Amino acid sequence: MSKKQIDFKDPVFALNWLDTAIGFERRKLSKCPVLPDMAPGHEAAQGWAYVVAGYFLLEQAFKLLLHLRKTSPARTHTLSSELYDLLPDNEKDTLREYYRDYREACDRATGFPFRNLDSFLSNLDGQQTSSGRFVGSFDWRYYLIEKMTGAAMPIVSIEMLHEVAYGATRIMEYLVHGRFEPSQYTYSHRMHWPRKRKYLEWMTVRINTPELHLPESGLEILWGPDYRHRYDFLIHHGNGRFNIGFNKLPKDQGIQIIDKRDEVEAFDPDEGFKSIGIVR
């Protein structure tokens, strides 16, 4: 292994290029997904380019994150013991949450065999040879024409690779620019954003419909629960003021709780806006 230090780019540009690459890989995968096949080799060949790129995205994300933490990463392809394990505990916990949340909340990832990020990364590194080299990434890189070096190919979820790399860039964004708390960008939070836009449209129609009277106080359940018993909910403060939240329901037993999930589900923004004289 080379002892030469990595000459990193300016973190602002490096972070931007990582974000750009992750975004394009996600878009490519959505437009041209890997299709299930009775021949596992054919299915693996479909995903080969995504997997190899995903390995490198995750490796570079870990290395830049270590660089931002004033730790000099080794020139290695070993993800777990030589890169991830060197991260501060709080950042490892954040990445674990990105992994766990995606595995539990995304239908496409439910049931993925590795229950936590640590075991997933160890699996990606694959078998260790007598020389001490982990061969997981090499087995995938040369899969198309060479026999495997390890006993088994690492099991890969391309989307998991993307999600963990994305989580690392959210930590970097916070370190480099001091903005956007990483814990607020997990998959579950990102899925809340489009729902929130619909709630705001629903409330716009309600506020502008004279025959509807908004409560002066109380909590309305809008969606949920998810796997962590979190809901989308709206809290009224009177005079048309309200807050939309995504979390476990408040424990205040004195607050009036109204279930509006069916009403929100049935709301059609176009028809709703037409009802108050607005064509969107």
Side-chain angles (χ1 to χ4, degrees):
M1 184 184 301
S2 172
K3 298 297 184 181
K4 182 181 177 182
Q5 296 296 306
I6 301 171
D7 189 11
F8 283 91
K9 294 179 178 179
D10 183 306
V12 173
F13 290 104
L15 171 58
N16 193 21
W17 306 152
L18 273 172
D19 256 343
T20 300
I22 293 168
F24 266 72
E25 283 298 300
R26 280 178 155 170
R27 286 167 59 187
K28 284 159 53 180
L29 182 61
S30 69
K31 296 293 184 183
C32 189
V34 178
L35 302 177
D37 195 279
M38 292 181 67
H42 185 261
E43 189 171 331
Q46 292 179 62
W48 174 80
Y50 296 125
V51 173
V52 174
Y55 261 103
F56 283 122
L57 280 171
L58 195 51
E59 176 189 329
Q60 291 180 72
F62 284 170
K63 286 179 177 177
L64 182 59
L65 191 48
L66 286 169
H67 173 65
L68 293 175
R69 284 302 190 186
K70 310 300 181 186
T71 299
S72 297
R75 286 184 173 273
T76 179
H77 303 296
T78 304
L79 297 173
S80 57
S81 59
E82 296 185 29
L83 295 175
Y84 169 76
D85 282 356
L86 299 180
L87 293 171
D89 287 343
N90 64 317
E91 291 175 4
K92 286 193 284 190
D93 286 342
T94 298
L95 294 175
R96 287 171 181 138
E97 179 57 24
Y98 270 81
Y99 181 92
R100 172 179 181 249
D101 184 74
Y102 193 84
R103 184 181 180 276
E104 297 293 336
C106 180
D107 291 340
R108 296 182 301 277
T110 302
F112 187 64
F114 298 100
R115 297 187 63 84
N116 57 63
L117 175 59
D118 300 62
S119 59
F120 177 55
L121 293 177
S122 295
N123 149 77
L124 290 179
D125 285 334
Q127 185 178 356
Q128 190 174 20
T129 65
S130 57
S131 63
R133 188 178 75 165
F134 288 90
V135 296
S137 66
F138 293 95
D139 276 346
W140 261 105
R141 200 179 315 170
Y142 301 109
Y143 166 79
L144 302 179
I145 64 169
E146 294 186 13
K147 292 183 178 180
M148 295 184 301
T149 304
M153 286 286 287
I155 299 172
V156 177
S157 162
I158 301 164
E159 291 177 311
M160 287 294 197
L161 287 171
H162 292 169
E163 185 67 14
V164 179
Y166 175 77
T169 63
R170 295 310 89 208
I171 298 173
M172 293 178 219
E173 178 78 28
Y174 193 73
L175 293 175
V176 172
H177 298 292
R179 63 190 182 193
F180 307 138
E181 167 57 45
S183 64
Q184 300 303 303
Y185 287 81
T186 61
Y187 179 79
S188 289
H189 282 90
R190 302 197 306 274
M191 293 301 99
H192 168 71
W193 300 341
R195 298 197 303 266
K196 184 176 180 180
R197 287 195 291 271
K198 183 177 181 180
Y199 305 148
L200 291 172
E201 292 173 326
W202 177 61
M203 283 300 296
T204 299
V205 172
R206 291 177 72 188
I207 289 171
N208 288 280
T209 303
E211 60 269 26
L212 292 180
H213 299 284
L214 298 179
E216 286 297 309
S217 63
L219 181 148
E220 295 178 337
I221 299 175
L222 310 178
W223 176 91
D226 72 354
Y227 72 99
R228 289 178 60 182
H229 307 292
R230 294 174 296 190
Y231 294 80
D232 292 342
F233 56 85
L234 186 150
I235 298 179
H236 291 276
H237 302 288
N239 298 320
R241 295 180 298 111
F242 61 89
N243 292 108
I244 295 173
F246 169 59
N247 213 325
K248 293 183 178 180
L249 295 179
K251 293 184 178 180
D252 183 359
Q253 299 299 316
I255 191 170
Q256 182 186 20
I257 296 179
I258 305 171
D259 191 339
K260 290 282 188 176
R261 285 174 287 190
D262 289 343
E263 185 175 330
V264 170
E265 180 67 25
F267 174 69
D268 181 335
D270 289 328
E271 293 303 315
F273 274 88
K274 287 178 185 177
S275 72
I276 58 175
I278 299 174
V279 178
R280 295 204 306 162

